[in-house]
Every structure is written in C-alpha cells, then in structure tokens.
Amino acid sequence: MMAKNNIPEVSYGILIQNQSDSVIDEVVEQIRMLGYGVIDSGYSSSELNNLSEVFNHTRAEYIKNQGEEKLRAANEYNTIRAPLTHGDEAFLRLALNKNLLPVIKKLIMGKFILNQQNGVINPPGETYNQAAWHRDIPYQHFVSSMPIAINALFCVDDFTCENGSTFLLPASHKAEAFPSAHFIKNNAVQIEAKAGSFIILDCMVFHSGGFNSTGSERRAVNHLYNIPFFKQQINIPKIMPDVSLTAEEKEILGFTFQEFNSVSEYLSR
Ligand SMILES: O=C(O)CCC(=O)C(=O)O
C-alpha cells in the first residue's frame, strides 16, 4: 500500500457529494462504501469484565444443556446460539447497545429486527466454523443499492492479527460473485480492534475468521439485524424470558413482526 501523503483536497466536475458531520456519519459512510467500519460500544472496563465473565458462564451452561458431543457433531462447539434468550441480561443489553443502534438505524432504512445473536469462539491453534469466507446471508449472490442486513461483531477480547481477527474483502457487498483467489490474496484486509468495539459489516461483505496462533481463545458476540421481511434464525420472541422491554425494544427483537396465523388475525391488526 502506498503512503497517503498530500491527498488532494480540491475537485472539479462534481455535482453531488456525501456529507459527514459526525462520527456516526463517518462510520456509516465507510460501511456503505467499503462494507465495514468499527465503533466503540461505550462500555466501562468493569462492564467489559462482566461481559467476559458472563460469556464464559453462559457458554459452560450451554454446553452442559446442549451436550458437548451433539455440539461437536454439528460443528457448533465454538458457537453459543441466542445467548440473549438464556444467558445473562447483559446479552440483551448488548443487542440493544446505545452506540450501535443509531448506526444500524442510519444504515437500514425503515424498520429492522434482530435476526440472530451468537457467541463466537475462535479457539487457539485449531480451526472453527467461522474460519471460512462467507456472507452473513449465505448462499445469496444478489447485490442491493441499500443495506438489507448489517452485522455487528462485538469484541469480547482484543482482536489482533495473532489471535485470528476477522478478514474481509472491502466493497465485496457490491458484487454478486465471490472474488477470485488472486483478488482475495491482494485485497483481503484483517481488522484489528480493541475489546469493547463493534466491527460492523454490511452482511453481504465476504468475511472470515482467521487462524488463532496465540494460546488464548478470541471471543466475540455476533449480531445480525435485517429488514423485517427475513425470518429470524431462532424465534426470539417465542423463547425470550420474561424481562421488561420498551415498545421499541420489543419491535427490534421481532415481537411485532411475527407471522399472522390466519387471515382474520391479519385483518384484525
Ligand atoms: O470470528 C470472526 O472473526 C468472524 C465471525 C463471523 O464470521 C460470523 O460470526 O459470521
């Protein structure tokens, strides 16, 4: 990569230019253009320590309840599905993070819902189910002029090149096909981020976890938010414990976007 000295500040022949007047606008513009950006969640160090502890506790309970053998057989041993529905309330608050939601609101026009929340563990010295190029809406090869889904990968630990932080292909959300091996070799970037950051991706950007060559796990919590026309991976409203939620929080969790069970139910709403 060339040094970026003396970037020109003047232009000509331009009739339209994006404006970015705030930190949110800056990250939103980068996600629209390149497909990725990083923001701080705003948590204090004691809140981050608590998230780290509840992550481990929730994982241990999850393995106990689902069974290690079953999880390994399904290649799910390094994933915790829907922790906001069975773990500490901190997972629910993470999905509704006050620094994150304004960014999602700017990126997805109109209503959106949480499609899924997954704890992700990149284990030391071995591969795992996210260490392969994919889109977060897999098997799809269309592009859209506006984001239809955004993912927000919360870094429980520092993400470093050594512990296999996320690789991505900038702007690949704008092209239908998965790029060639040559393009990947020349254009893949690896994102380093501090614990407490959200790495935000247009869900159609190709990305992959890297190889963790340290001695410690690299833990994250991934969130996928999408327009309400896509069904959730797991029906969150159906299995959510009884917690008090505002009307907006209920909407984001999908309570108001459940399928109708009959024509008369549809008409009565
Ligand atoms: O672990 C990572 O760095 C990537 C996680 C990921 O790709 C995913 O959860 O979809």
Side-chain angles (χ1 to χ4, degrees), residues 120 128 130 134 136 166 207 209 218 222:
V120 181
Y128 69 118
Q130 297 304 322
H134 61 281
D136 270 351
T166 316
H207 62 282
R218 195 258 292 150
N222 198 15

Side-chain angles (χ1 to χ4, degrees), residues 115-135:
N115 178 292
Q116 54 189 279
Q117 181 192 54
N118 299 310
V120 181
I121 299 105
N122 184 350
E126 56 177 285
T127 192
Y128 69 118
N129 60 355
Q130 297 304 322
W133 290 108
H134 61 281
R135 287 179 154 153

Side-chain angles (χ1 to χ4, degrees), residues 135-209:
R135 287 179 154 153
D136 270 351
I137 305 196
Y139 301 102
Q140 303 307 312
H141 285 282
F142 61 87
V143 291
S144 59
S145 56
M146 292 194 187
I148 49 171
I150 294 290
N151 60 304
L153 188 60
F154 176 76
C155 307
V156 178
D157 300 303
D158 288 344
F159 271 41
T160 66
C161 292
E162 293 70 35
N163 69 14
S165 64
T166 316
F167 282 90
L168 57 85
L169 302 174
S172 56
H173 61 307
K174 292 180 184 278
E176 291 164 5
F178 181 48
S180 67
H182 180 264
F183 179 93
I184 294 169
K185 190 160 173 279
N186 286 309
N187 293 286
V189 297
Q190 194 172 17
I191 309 296
E192 291 198 293
K194 285 278 170 219
S197 310
F198 279 103
I199 299 175
I200 306 179
L201 308 180
D202 184 300
C203 76
M204 299 304 266
V205 144
F206 285 103
H207 62 282
S208 170

Side-chain angles (χ1 to χ4, degrees), residues 28 31-32 102-109 146-147 150 200:
V28 163
I31 296 162
R32 286 202 183 115
V103 178
I104 307 291
K105 281 181 189 165
K106 284 217 163 192
L107 286 165
I108 302 180
M109 195 178 273
M146 292 194 187
I150 294 290
I200 306 179

Side-chain angles (χ1 to χ4, degrees), residues 16-244:
I16 303 174
Q17 183 180 17
N18 296 338
Q19 298 301 323
S20 78
D21 303 322
S22 66
V23 176
I24 293 185
D25 286 347
E26 285 167 15
V27 77
V28 163
E29 182 179 28
Q30 184 178 311
I31 296 162
R32 286 202 183 115
M33 304 284 283
L34 298 178
Y36 71 98
V38 179
I39 63 162
D40 180 32
S41 61
Y43 289 126
S44 65
S45 53
S46 75
E47 286 171 313
L48 291 180
N49 286 341
N50 179 54
L51 272 163
S52 171
E53 274 170 32
V54 299
F55 187 102
N56 288 348
H57 177 72
T58 302
R59 186 183 188 205
E61 289 294 303
Y62 184 75
I63 294 173
K64 205 158 70 190
N65 293 333
Q66 302 299 333
E68 177 171 344
E69 208 178 317
K70 186 172 93 184
L71 290 170
R72 284 197 189 278
N75 197 17
E76 283 277 316
Y77 184 66
N78 291 302
T79 307
I80 312 164
R81 296 281 163 194
L84 81 167
T85 65
H86 54 84
D88 191 275
E89 197 175 324
F91 288 105
L92 169 64
R93 294 295 137 207
L94 190 59
L96 300 168
N97 179 272
K98 67 177 176 20
N99 286 3
L100 175 64
L101 291 188
V103 178
I104 307 291
K105 281 181 189 165
K106 284 217 163 192
L107 286 165
I108 302 180
M109 195 178 273
K111 306 280 186 193
F112 64 87
I113 60 166
L114 179 71
N115 178 292
Q116 54 189 279
Q117 181 192 54
N118 299 310
V120 181
I121 299 105
N122 184 350
E126 56 177 285
T127 192
Y128 69 118
N129 60 355
Q130 297 304 322
W133 290 108
H134 61 281
R135 287 179 154 153
D136 270 351
I137 305 196
Y139 301 102
Q140 303 307 312
H141 285 282
F142 61 87
V143 291
S144 59
S145 56
M146 292 194 187
I148 49 171
I150 294 290
N151 60 304
L153 188 60
F154 176 76
C155 307
V156 178
D157 300 303
D158 288 344
F159 271 41
T160 66
C161 292
E162 293 70 35
N163 69 14
S165 64
T166 316
F167 282 90
L168 57 85
L169 302 174
S172 56
H173 61 307
K174 292 180 184 278
E176 291 164 5
F178 181 48
S180 67
H182 180 264
F183 179 93
I184 294 169
K185 190 160 173 279
N186 286 309
N187 293 286
V189 297
Q190 194 172 17
I191 309 296
E192 291 198 293
K194 285 278 170 219
S197 310
F198 279 103
I199 299 175
I200 306 179
L201 308 180
D202 184 300
C203 76
M204 299 304 266
V205 144
F206 285 103
H207 62 282
S208 170
F211 184 75
N212 182 353
S213 56
T214 71
S216 314
E217 291 175 339
R218 195 258 292 150
R219 299 165 301 160
V221 183
N222 198 15
H223 302 81
L224 182 68
Y225 302 87
N226 54 226
I227 54 174
F229 292 97
F230 300 147
K231 64 180 184 201
Q232 292 172 322
Q233 183 181 58
I234 295 167
N235 188 328
I236 294 173
K238 212 169 186 170
I239 56 170
M240 206 54 210
D242 192 16
V243 280
S244 127

